[in-house]
Every structure is written in C-alpha cells, then in structure tokens.
Amino acid sequence: DTEVTQTPKHLVMGMTNKKSLKCEQHMGHRAMYWYKQKAKKPPELMFVYSYEKLSINESVPSRFSPECPNSSLLNLHLHALQPEDSALYLCASSPQVRHRTAAYEQYFGPGTRLTVT
Amino acid sequence: KQEVTQIPAALSVPEGENLVLNCSFTDSAIYNLQWFRQDPGKGLTSLLLIQSSQREQTSGRLNASLDKSSGRSTLYIAASQPGDSATYLCAVLPQNSGGSNYKLTFGKGTLLTVNP
C-alpha cells in the first residue's frame, strides 16, 4: 500500500472558523510533510515531522498549527485564515527525511482544496 | 541557492509520439531527483526517483536520465497517449550545508497535452 489519504477533499471556511485537515499513511513512514500549492505554481513546503516531532517550520504563520498524534496521522489545524490562504494543501510522507547519503522518495496525497471566504 | 528550470513550459503532441521533457538544476550537489505527474486540482503522483549515484530509471513507457555533473535530467515518454496529459514536475533534494537539505526544490512544471 503506497497510499497517502487526505480528508476532506474540499473545504470552504470563513475567516473566523476553526477547521482541521487530516492526513493518514500506513506505509510505516516516519517523516510526514505539509505543502501548500497555489494555482499554476509548484508546491511550497510548510512543515516537516520526523518521528512524530516537528523538525521544520518554514516560517509559516501561527494561524496554521500542525499536529502529529501518532506515526500514521498528521493534522493541520486552521484558525482565522485569510482569503489568500486559499490553496491546495498537500500531505506527503517518506520512510525518513534522509539517511546518510541517501534520500527517500516522497509520496503525496490527493490534497485538500481549501477556500477561505 | 538551488534553482530548477523545466523546458518547455507547455507541450502539445499528437497521440503516439515519443517525447522528451527537460529539467535543469543549478547546483549538482543533490541527493536525488524525482519526477512527478499532477492532474488538474489533484495531488502529485511520483513517477520516478533517481538517486544521485544513478544515471537512469525506467518504469513502463517512462525513462528518466540524470546527468548530475551538467545539472540535467530528461523524462522520456514513449508512445504517448491522451491519458498522459498532465503537468509534469521535477524536483531535486539538495545536499547543501545551508540547512535546507530536507526540502525538495521544484521546477514550475511542463504542461503536456496529448491529442487523440
């Protein structure tokens, strides 16, 4: 099973709402990632979790709050978002972030299309 | 700073044609290079991963090559089909010591249209 699942597929939220995005993988991967992708642009890294610990935060505003409750699950909590946060949010996983001279393939989920009104 | 460029930005071909997509990167110190496919509004599907020590990888009708010293990779698609229509992204994982060697650097993609 090389699948990363994400829910919901679509989300519309107001600027005062609180919502969460969910990502799950059952490949035994120990690194998980959140990316943001705007239309016609490549994905931009937001967060990296390694062994359930946040290892990288790419200077993401605090209105985005990631959480890794266990090795299979990654959440992104959203609060007080702005219309410019509307984008496709992608989750990815890999066996590890890196190991010595080798690096690992990242597997992406289908994404959540977020619209902030 | 690593930069990845993909040429052409868009390509339209008739069904059955063999085609080549190009990817170039400015810093040859990379761990690996990955080719992805993205359908409109969907996630990324990993097509091929080439480690820095490898020269090419093949999967079905796809063949990707890597020339690390010249900073180039090509994705060859044989006997193209309308179902191959998508955006193709290449991404490198840099080996630099600047603390960003966890972070895929993506090109802007090539939009491929295969006409029946």
Side-chain angles (χ1 to χ4, degrees), chain B residues 15-36:
Chain B
E15 182 176 2
E17 193 161 297
N18 302 325
L19 59 99
V20 173
L21 307 181
N22 295 293
C23 172
S24 61
F25 47 96
T26 53
D27 187 342
S28 61
I30 63 170
Y31 283 110
N32 63 34
L33 182 145
Q34 223 171 322
W35 281 96
F36 295 92

Side-chain angles (χ1 to χ4, degrees), chain A residues 37 58 98 103 105-106 110, chain B residues 31 38 46 51 101-103:
Chain A
Q37 187 179 25
E58 287 286 303
R98 264 185 339 278
E105 188 169 3
Q106 290 191 22
Chain B
Y31 283 110
Q38 186 171 32
S46 180
Q51 299 288 359
N101 50 4
Y102 52 84
K103 186 175 173 179

Side-chain angles (χ1 to χ4, degrees), chain B residues 2-116:
Chain B
Q2 178 74 266
E3 291 183 4
V4 178
T5 303
Q6 291 187 247
I7 294 173
L11 180 64
S12 181
V13 300
E15 182 176 2
E17 193 161 297
N18 302 325
L19 59 99
V20 173
L21 307 181
N22 295 293
C23 172
S24 61
F25 47 96
T26 53
D27 187 342
S28 61
I30 63 170
Y31 283 110
N32 63 34
L33 182 145
Q34 223 171 322
W35 281 96
F36 295 92
R37 168 192 172 132
Q38 186 171 32
D39 294 295
K42 305 290 186 184
L44 277 65
T45 300
S46 180
L47 298 173
L48 290 163
L49 171 76
I50 312 179
Q51 299 288 359
S52 61
S53 58
Q54 297 174 323
R55 298 283 292 188
E56 67 177 331
Q57 285 287 330
T58 298
S59 175
R61 294 183 293 109
L62 305 180
N63 176 277
S65 68
L66 175 64
D67 184 344
K68 205 172 67 155
S69 60
S70 68
R72 293 184 183 187
S73 176
T74 61
L75 179 67
Y76 175 82
I77 303 177
S80 59
Q81 303 170 357
D84 295 330
S85 299
T87 295
Y88 290 80
L89 293 158
C90 86
V92 299
L93 193 66
Q95 267 187 11
N96 67 61
S97 59
S100 296
N101 50 4
Y102 52 84
K103 186 175 173 179
L104 283 174
T105 301
F106 285 88
K108 293 184 178 179
T110 293
L111 176 60
L112 173 66
T113 304
V114 181
N115 301 300

Side-chain angles (χ1 to χ4, degrees), chain A residues 34 46-49 54 56-57 60-69 74-78:
Chain A
W34 279 115
M46 299 174 73
F47 303 103
V48 180
Y49 271 82
L54 180 65
I56 303 293
N57 176 340
V60 178
S62 60
R63 57 186 185 267
F64 295 91
S65 175
E67 178 197 21
C68 189
L74 184 67
N75 298 320
L76 185 64
H77 302 299
L78 314 172

Side-chain angles (χ1 to χ4, degrees), chain A residues 9-25:
Chain A
K9 290 185 180 177
H10 302 276
L11 179 63
V12 179
M13 60 186 290
M15 289 190 284
T16 57
N17 291 160
K18 286 186 182 181
K19 297 285 184 184
S20 297
L21 310 184
K22 180 180 169 182
C23 171
E24 204 159 1
Q25 57 87 14

